[in-house]
Amino acid sequence: MKMRCPHCKAWSSIRSSIQVTDTSRESIFVCRDPECGHSFSAVTTINRTLSLSSKPNSRVILPLSSHIKRALVAQQLAAMPVSEYQPINSPPSTRDLFEPPPPPD
């Protein structure tokens, strides 16, 4: 991600960053102009869903973008049959939130 220095308008680089919440990250920027040398903090926040996740996190509540046709999505979900799926890269994430984890292999 690029951001211009608010003082000299030169490009700034991210020196470090930390995940603050599931939907926000704080980054420390350093101006690339050595004569300016400004460093500053910026927060990046996820503010809406553009495309629904197939692995939703129940702790993350984001508004749906206005371009999503909610009624049509609900109608399609209700009409679609379920098909079995075996994940390749990650374990299934469809357990109940309060269900105990499975025993290790």
Side-chain angles (χ1 to χ4, degrees):
M1 182 171 92
K2 289 185 174 183
M3 186 173 275
R4 292 203 181 263
C5 172
H7 294 286
C8 73
K9 308 303 183 213
W11 288 111
S12 299
S13 300
I14 295 176
R15 176 68 61 199
S16 63
S17 67
I18 185 170
Q19 192 79 28
V20 180
T21 68
D22 287 336
T23 59
S24 66
R25 182 171 203 87
E26 181 178 16
S27 301
I28 304 299
F29 286 83
V30 178
C31 179
R32 291 185 187 171
D33 181 346
E35 292 178 355
C36 176
H38 185 234
S39 61
F40 56 96
S41 169
V43 176
T44 306
T45 302
I46 300 169
N47 60 1
R48 68 178 175 271
T49 295
L50 299 175
S51 177
L52 297 171
S53 171
S54 63
K55 296 166 64 173
N57 180 341
S58 61
R59 297 180 319 209
V60 176
I61 309 296
L62 290 169
L64 292 177
S65 176
S66 62
H67 82 280
I68 296 175
K69 297 172 177 67
R70 291 172 181 248
L72 182 58
V73 170
Q75 182 182 15
Q76 288 176 334
L77 286 172
M80 290 180 190
V82 175
S83 175
E84 288 300 317
Y85 170 74
Q86 291 297 320
I88 297 168
N89 297 319
S90 62
S93 60
T94 55
R95 287 189 300 113
D96 185 281
L97 180 62
F98 300 104
E99 182 180 323
D105 291 333

